Amino acid sequence: MKIATIEAIPYSIPYVHPLHFASGAVHEADHVLVRITTDDGIVGTADTPPRPYTYGETQRSVVAVVEDLFAPQLVGLDVLDREKVQAVLARTVHNQTAKGAVDIALWDVLGQALGQPVTKLLGGWTDSMRVSHMLGFKPAAELLDLALQFRETYGITTFKLKTGRHPVGLDVEAARVLREGLGEDAELYLDANRGWSANEAMEVLRRTEDLGLQFLEEPDDAREVLGRRRLVERSTIPIAADESAPNLGEAAKEILTGGANLLAVKTARSGFTEAAKIVGMAEGMGVDVYVGNQIDTQVGTIASVVFGAALAHTSKRAGELSNFLDMADDLLAEPVVIAGGRIRVPDVPGVGTAVDEDKLAHYRTDR
Ligand code: MUC
Ligand code: MG
């Protein structure tokens, strides 16, 4: 079963509710759909969210690297020769989400060829994931209204609040309003996307000590090593690495050098293969993980669900799986359903990301 063609299809879908955060903003899903077809006609699919402010990729760079660098080296390889595929991807540095999508599309092919859900091939731990919803920058009262709406409509009780604003009191107030409005049972954590200095983050930790926050993600720039290490040492809640740990090597480095004691694992940037290695490494070191999001579409969300539910370690915490709700439309043929605060793994061979061809034709931007 050989790789016959690899397509990288740029498309654009607007957001009804744009998302603002410390490192950027998203108004349109200007993503790339990666499609890999085998010589026996199986089609694997995955979504690529270019994030210039996180990984330096753009929609055009993703198309170029997939079509010009990866495809010529991958076409003709046997889909089962997974290490050879990984070696080809590793030969190009960076380009995290382009690599992630190629890997996921190949797993999708594998699952369909074997007639098995990919979640079973990856581990088969459980059949659904608990959902955490990510709230972007907004006035505190609006954030609470939104969170209450998500709880009422979808049963979501875990929320990640985007922070990293100045003055830091804005975010402290937002966290307090959410805690008071949602009650003590709601799970609440912060993600500053490197918006603060270590000292500012320390102040936020001090001022939110009574709020029962689960953890603080990427408070400051992890490259400022000593500041970050001091934070991790002094914080009473875990400090999570997200964009400072985009791959296996960086994740290991952040944990071993004291830059973090919790890891966000994202399939969009790690595919399933590298994400599984990161989870194994974390598990072996006694470090918790959670499935993070890359402001994913429904295609990307299903990939996260398939991966997260496959493993015991990723199933312990809620995964960030609901930001597609902010989009005007999506590409999946079978829309994702959130009920009782959970998303079920599609019980079909492959990843379960069959695309609505009419929608793809409508939203693609290359024709
Ligand atoms: C996060 O956790 O940082 C921000 C940009 C993006 O693509 O995903 C995020 C979420
Ligand atoms: Mg983050």
Side-chain angles (χ1 to χ4, degrees), residues 1-30:
M1 186 175 44
K2 292 195 174 5
I3 299 172
T5 62
I6 303 183
E7 295 169 273
I9 305 167
Y11 68 91
S12 183
I13 299 178
Y15 270 74
V16 179
H17 304 290
L19 190 82
H20 294 260
F21 43 100
S23 56
V26 170
H27 296 264
E28 280 98 29
D30 289 325

Side-chain angles (χ1 to χ4, degrees), residues 21 51 160 162 191 193 217 242 266 293-295:
F21 43 100
R51 296 285 172 257
K160 156 153 138 177
K162 284 299 197 187
D191 180 6
N193 286 110
E217 177 178 317
D242 174 12
K266 297 185 173 179
N293 87 103
Q294 209 68 75
I295 319 180

Side-chain angles (χ1 to χ4, degrees), residues 153-362:
T153 311
Y154 303 105
I156 296 173
T157 54
T158 302
F159 296 93
K160 156 153 138 177
L161 175 63
K162 284 299 197 187
T163 58
R165 291 180 291 180
H166 294 93
V168 299
L170 283 172
D171 292 331
V172 172
E173 188 214 351
R176 190 165 296 283
V177 167
L178 282 174
R179 172 56 78 213
E180 283 166 4
L182 291 168
E184 63 181 21
D185 290 342
E187 292 182 337
L188 196 57
Y189 56 100
L190 313 182
D191 180 6
N193 286 110
R194 298 159 281 150
W196 294 320
S197 66
N199 287 336
E200 286 168 336
M202 208 86 79
E203 183 188 338
V204 171
L205 285 172
R206 185 174 52 74
R207 291 171 65 181
T208 55
E209 222 162 27
D210 60 329
L211 296 185
L213 298 177
Q214 280 193 304
F215 59 89
L216 170 58
E217 177 178 317
E218 219 67 86
D220 61 338
D221 191 334
R223 288 172 303 183
E224 290 157 10
V225 180
L226 292 182
R228 176 61 84 90
R229 207 177 286 172
R230 205 170 70 245
L231 254 184
V232 172
E233 278 164 6
R234 294 190 186 172
S235 176
T236 55
I237 58 174
I239 302 294
D242 174 12
E243 55 265 43
S244 60
N247 52 46
L248 180 62
E250 296 294 326
K253 193 164 81 185
E254 283 308 305
I255 296 301
L256 290 172
T257 59
N261 46 13
L262 177 65
L263 287 175
V265 177
K266 297 185 173 179
T267 55
R269 68 171 174 222
S270 304
F272 293 159
T273 304
E274 190 168 31
K277 292 181 186 178
I278 294 171
V279 173
M281 183 266 301
E283 202 173 358
M285 293 204 283
V287 170
D288 266 8
V289 301
Y290 57 100
V291 172
N293 87 103
Q294 209 68 75
I295 319 180
D296 297 299
T297 61
Q298 294 190 18
V299 178
T301 297
I302 286 299
S304 295
V305 172
V306 160
F307 180 81
L311 304 172
H313 206 50
T314 43
S315 298
K316 288 181 192 158
R317 292 174 183 261
E320 296 164 3
L321 303 165
S322 50
N323 282 87
F324 65 84
L325 293 169
D326 292 334
M327 293 172 61
D329 201 357
D330 223 297
L331 295 181
L332 268 197
E334 280 288 321
V336 174
V337 175
I338 306 177
R342 304 189 77 91
I343 297 178
R344 294 186 69 79
V345 177
D347 188 16
V348 296
V351 174
T353 44
V355 157
D356 180 322
E357 293 301 329
D358 291 338
K359 287 191 176 182
L360 181 59
H362 180 71

